[in-house]
Amino acid sequence: MSSKIGLLLSLVIFTMFFLLSVDVMAIQYHYSDLDSQSVTIGFEIAHLETLNDENIEVLEEKHHVIITNISNKTPDYGEVIYYTILREYKPIIVSKEVMELKIERSAIRGYY
């Protein structure tokens, strides 16, 4: 009888640990994907002359991210632009709420 209870408890603990591991790996995957997209977005921002709302919406739709905290929407040539890219992730077991994965980056207009 005690071996059956031990087996059931170990299966519950193993299942929770497995779900936690899957969640951590998924968060790492989304974060590394967001990091690689930030390089592409920075390259595209460096090519743009102005960062109006239309250009930002095109970038957001193309890369499936949210771009916020843009430091300067009308940069001069050679000026640094700071921006934040975020993506929402719904974890399995880590949290009941939606997590926001954020990356802060900078780009230099005209430097590519």
Side-chain angles (χ1 to χ4, degrees):
M1 185 67 162
S2 65
S3 64
K4 291 179 184 178
I5 293 173
L7 177 68
L8 288 174
L9 287 175
S10 66
L11 283 177
V12 169
I13 291 171
F14 175 75
T15 304
M16 298 301 266
F17 181 73
F18 179 75
L19 290 175
L20 179 67
S21 301
V22 168
D23 233 4
V24 169
M25 287 187 333
I27 290 170
Q28 178 61 35
Y29 169 76
H30 285 289
Y31 188 78
S32 63
D33 184 46
L34 192 62
D35 187 39
S36 66
Q37 284 184 347
S38 71
V39 173
T40 306
I41 290 171
F43 184 75
E44 292 176 2
I45 285 176
H47 279 76
L48 296 174
E49 292 182 14
T50 60
L51 290 173
N52 55 14
D53 292 334
E54 294 174 8
N55 291 340
I56 294 171
E57 287 178 15
V58 168
L59 288 173
E60 287 179 345
E61 290 175 10
K62 182 178 178 182
H63 297 283
H64 306 290
V65 295
I66 300 169
I67 301 173
T68 59
N69 297 337
I70 298 175
S71 62
N72 189 359
K73 293 195 175 188
T74 56
D76 292 332
Y77 189 80
E79 192 171 334
V80 179
I81 306 163
Y82 297 98
Y83 58 94
T84 303
I85 301 171
L86 72 99
R87 179 182 290 160
E88 294 180 345
Y89 172 68
K90 176 72 172 110
I92 299 170
I93 198 169
V94 172
S95 175
K96 293 181 180 180
E97 300 171 359
V98 176
M99 295 175 67
E100 290 183 348
L101 303 174
K102 294 182 183 181
I103 293 184
E104 295 181 4
R105 294 287 183 256
S106 63
I108 300 173
R109 184 178 172 272
Y111 182 75
Y112 33 84

